[in-house]
């Protein structure tokens, strides 16, 4: 049995994930920890295919996943809901600490925003210059929260991106044509957009949207 591509696997993960939005009471919100982290691992694999340009972002994503995994393992029942982790850190005043799980969660969400934006642009115009696709996706998602050090590092690495055809080839399943891949990318984006909107509602409810890097 052939292994699914990252795009197909991500479609399955998001399709099965159910998020409960905060509504009037943000304490009732629910984000399943393990499925969320599984989706983030798939993002790592997509970033790997972009190459060295994404090395710094990839490292951040990996470290943030590991931080949340470690917290989940301390109490897998209680921490099966990411919102319980946010709630616990907020009650202890640990939300803003450098290596908080709350920060890890916010940055993982932003990485998902970036991936969604990148796939959306590429599915819309598969022959578009890949450097431009990555730069525009970065500008609309991560750049507003990056300081000059992070932004400068990204601009230097941007010259190392593969061309769009090479990237699409790396994302394709064996014998899959480009139209099928494009359709799958559009399906994934159509699932990610409302999924991420729900997560951002929870991030805002806990006042976590202010976090920036250097």
């Amino acid at each position: 049995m052939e292994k699914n591509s990252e795009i197909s696997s991500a479609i399955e993960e998001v399709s099965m994930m159910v998020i409960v939005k905060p509504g009037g009471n943000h304490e009732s919100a629910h984000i399943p920890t393990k499925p969320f982290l599984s989706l983030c691992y798939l993002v790592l694999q997509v970033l790997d295919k972009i190459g060295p340009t994404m090395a710094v972002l990839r490292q951040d994503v990996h470290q943030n996943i590991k931080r949340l995994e470690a917290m989940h393992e301390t109490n897998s029942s209680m921490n099966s809901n990411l919102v319980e982790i946010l709630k616990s850190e907020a009650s202890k005043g640990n939300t803003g600490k450098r290596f908080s799980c709350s920060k890890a969660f916010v940055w993982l969400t932003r990485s998902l925003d970036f991936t969604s934006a990148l796939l959306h642009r590429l599915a819309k115009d598969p022959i578009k210059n890949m450097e431009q696709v990555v730069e525009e996706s970065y500008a609309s998602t991560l750049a507003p929260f990056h300081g000059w050090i992070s932004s400068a590092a990204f601009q230097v690495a941007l010259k190392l991106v593969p061309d769009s055809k090479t990237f699409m080839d790396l994302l394709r399943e064996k014998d899959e044509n480009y139209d099928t891949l494009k359709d799958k990318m559009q399906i994934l984006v159509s699932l990610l957009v409302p999924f991420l909107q729900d997560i951002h509602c929870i991030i805002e409810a806990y006042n976590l949207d202010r976090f920036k890097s250097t």
Side-chain angles (χ1 to χ4, degrees):
M1 185 175 176
E2 289 185 10
K3 180 178 177 291
N4 281 349
S5 69
E6 291 80 10
I7 302 299
S8 296
S9 298
I11 288 171
E12 289 179 14
E13 286 288 350
V14 183
S15 298
M16 293 187 292
M17 220 180 308
V18 177
I19 288 181
V20 178
K21 287 188 287 187
N25 177 16
H26 62 261
E27 292 195 357
S28 66
H30 184 94
I31 305 170
T33 304
K34 292 294 281 184
F36 178 82
L37 294 178
S38 294
L39 179 61
C40 292
Y41 269 119
L42 291 169
V43 167
L44 268 187
Q45 294 172 42
V46 172
L47 295 178
D48 282 341
K49 295 181 189 306
I50 300 176
T53 301
M54 295 292 104
V56 174
L57 178 58
R58 187 204 184 283
Q59 183 180 17
D60 285 346
V61 171
H62 187 260
Q63 288 174 346
N64 288 329
I65 290 173
K66 290 298 182 185
R67 194 175 307 157
L68 287 173
E69 277 185 336
M71 178 58 75
H72 175 263
E73 288 167 7
T74 62
N75 188 333
S76 58
S77 177
M78 170 79 71
N79 295 330
S80 62
N81 177 9
L82 273 165
V83 178
E84 290 300 326
I85 298 175
L86 304 182
K87 205 184 301 181
S88 174
E89 288 195 337
S91 69
K92 296 172 185 174
N94 293 335
T95 295
K97 290 191 175 178
R98 186 179 177 189
F99 296 115
S100 73
C101 288
S102 299
K103 281 189 173 181
F105 171 63
V106 170
W107 284 108
L108 286 174
T109 301
R110 289 170 180 169
S111 298
L112 288 170
D113 289 334
F114 168 78
T115 305
S116 177
L118 185 144
L119 293 176
H120 169 70
R121 284 176 170 81
L122 206 53
K124 191 176 178 182
D125 186 0
I127 61 172
K128 189 171 183 176
N129 179 276
M130 187 65 182
E131 184 178 327
Q132 188 178 351
V133 170
V134 174
E135 188 166 26
E136 288 176 358
S137 303
Y138 174 78
S140 66
T141 56
L142 293 168
F145 306 102
H146 277 177
W148 71 269
I149 295 175
S150 299
S151 296
F154 179 84
Q155 290 301 323
V156 170
L158 191 59
K159 305 301 178 185
L160 301 172
V161 298
D163 59 72
S164 53
K165 183 181 182 302
T166 300
F167 181 62
M168 296 279 276
D169 284 340
L170 291 169
L171 288 178
R172 283 193 303 152
E173 293 180 12
K174 186 179 179 182
D175 300 325
E176 184 176 63
N177 63 48
Y178 288 102
D179 285 338
T180 302
L181 173 61
K182 189 172 78 169
D183 288 345
K184 284 184 179 178
M185 289 163 68
Q186 289 172 332
I187 290 168
L188 178 56
V189 171
S190 72
L191 292 168
L192 279 174
V193 169
F195 168 80
L196 289 167
Q197 284 175 344
D198 288 349
I199 288 183
H200 280 292
C201 284
I202 294 168
I203 285 174
E204 289 169 13
Y206 281 86
N207 298 312
L208 303 176
D209 49 327
R210 68 187 186 280
F211 291 140
K212 294 188 176 185
S213 68
T214 54

